[in-house]
Amino acid sequence: MNRVIVLILITVFNTNVLADWDPELEAQEQAQREATQRAEQAKQREAQKMIDAANAKANQEMMESKRKNLGAAAKGKSDAEVNRLYDAKIKQTTDEANRLAQEARSALNQGQGAAAVKQVTGKSLHELENMSDEEADALSRELEKKYGQ
C-alpha cells in the first residue's frame, strides 16, 4: 500500500514539474547560450591572433637586430644560421670579457696595482669585491668628495 501512495505522489509531483516546462523557452535559452559561447570563442581567437602577430613582429625585429649586429656574415643566411652565428659571437665576446677581467684581477693582485688601490680606497681588492651595494655606494660618495668627479 505504501508503494502505491509513493508512486501516486511521484506521479503528481512529476506532472506538475512537466507542466511548467516550456520547450520553446528552453530552446531559446540554449540558442542564446550557444551564441554567447560562439562570441566568446571569436573574441579569444581574435586575441590570440593579436598575440601571435605581436610575437611574430618581435621575432622579426630580433632577427633584424641580430643580422645588423653580424653584418656581412649574416647576408644570405637562414634564420637558424643567423641564430647559431649570433650565439657563437656572444659566447666568444663573453669568454673574451671573462678572460680580460681575470687578467685584470691577476695584474691588480700583484705588486703595485694592489698597493695603489689600497692607498686610494683604503681597502684591499678582496674587500672591494666582497662589499655590499650599500658599502660600495658609500665608498663611491666618499671617493667623489675626496678626489672629485
Side-chain angles (χ1 to χ4, degrees):
M1 187 70 170
N2 286 339
R3 289 184 193 174
V4 173
I5 295 173
V6 170
L7 287 175
I8 292 172
L9 288 174
I10 290 174
T11 306
V12 169
F13 284 117
N14 206 11
T15 41
N16 287 339
V17 171
L18 291 177
D20 290 341
W21 183 61
D22 185 1
E24 288 181 27
L25 181 61
E26 185 65 30
Q28 288 174 351
E29 289 174 351
Q30 180 64 26
Q32 187 177 14
R33 284 191 297 270
E34 290 172 357
T36 304
Q37 186 179 21
R38 283 191 302 272
E40 184 63 32
Q41 288 173 347
K43 284 181 187 178
Q44 288 176 354
R45 282 192 302 272
E46 187 63 31
Q48 189 60 45
K49 283 180 186 178
M50 292 172 67
I51 290 170
D52 292 344
N55 285 340
K57 184 177 179 181
N59 287 340
Q60 182 182 5
E61 289 174 357
M62 187 181 344
M63 286 308 299
E64 288 173 6
S65 174
K66 288 179 180 181
R67 288 179 187 280
K68 183 179 179 182
N69 187 294
L70 291 172
K75 194 166 192 141
K77 305 280 189 205
S78 71
D79 288 351
E81 290 174 294
V82 169
N83 282 332
R84 187 183 52 76
L85 290 171
Y86 186 80
D87 291 344
K89 182 177 180 179
I90 294 298
K91 184 181 182 321
Q92 179 185 7
T93 304
T94 304
D95 291 347
E96 181 68 15
N98 288 339
R99 185 186 63 76
L100 290 172
Q102 184 59 35
E103 286 177 7
R105 271 192 215 98
S106 176
L108 283 175
N109 285 331
Q110 301 171 6
Q112 293 179 345
V117 169
K118 179 138 181 139
Q119 181 182 4
V120 170
T121 63
K123 304 215 181 265
S124 70
L125 290 173
H126 182 72
E127 290 172 327
L128 290 173
E129 286 179 348
N130 293 324
M131 70 174 38
S132 69
D133 290 341
E134 293 81 21
E135 293 172 327
D137 289 340
L139 179 63
S140 175
R141 285 190 298 275
E142 178 185 326
L143 292 174
E144 283 179 10
K145 286 179 185 175
K146 189 173 182 179
Y147 296 106
Q149 294 181 351

